[in-house]
Amino acid sequence: MKSRLFILLLITSFFFNFGYSQKKSATSKIDINGVWADINSGVENAVAIISEKNGEVIFSHYLEWKGQKFVESGKGKRIGNTITYTVNVTLPIDGWATAGTHTLILSEDGNTLEGTFQDNKNRNGPIAFKRVR
């Protein structure tokens, strides 16, 4: 009886030790807060600032297109590695949209955001950013 109890305690001890000592599979969420370079073609002096807290995202974006300044900002959500936010243009370029939605996917290494925009003139296309800091 003593040997069975000893074996049971040994197996139980091994099981609990093994269970707690393994690397947990939960992956940590990549921090997206910071400065991002706009890597879309044709834009100059383009930068985005992204702030995220508890899944809520605030986005600010400045760029120049053929010497014209453009500023937009927006709010949205992050679910996993997908970031979706609605923007309003505060400093427009003539002929450009004044609002829209961006949907971006964070790369596995956390250094690139790529996705699409949809604007209030019913246009859409690719959009991408690369982490600066």
Side-chain angles (χ1 to χ4, degrees), residues 80-115:
N81 283 341
T82 301
I83 300 149
T84 303
Y85 51 89
T86 301
V87 293
N88 290 304
V89 177
T90 56
L91 183 60
I93 292 176
D94 287 339
W96 283 30
T98 56
T101 302
H102 297 176
T103 301
L104 302 170
I105 306 294
L106 181 64
S107 64
E108 286 187 29
D109 68 3
N111 291 318
T112 307
L113 286 165
E114 293 183 274

Side-chain angles (χ1 to χ4, degrees), residues 6 8 14 22 34 42-43 48-49 56-58 61-62 68 71 79 82 85 95-96 100 106 114-115:
F6 177 74
L8 180 61
F14 177 73
Q22 295 301 304
V43 298
I49 299 171
E56 298 292 322
V57 174
I58 298 173
H61 188 203
Y62 173 85
Q68 299 178 72
V71 179
I79 299 173
T82 301
Y85 51 89
W96 283 30
L106 181 64
E114 293 183 274

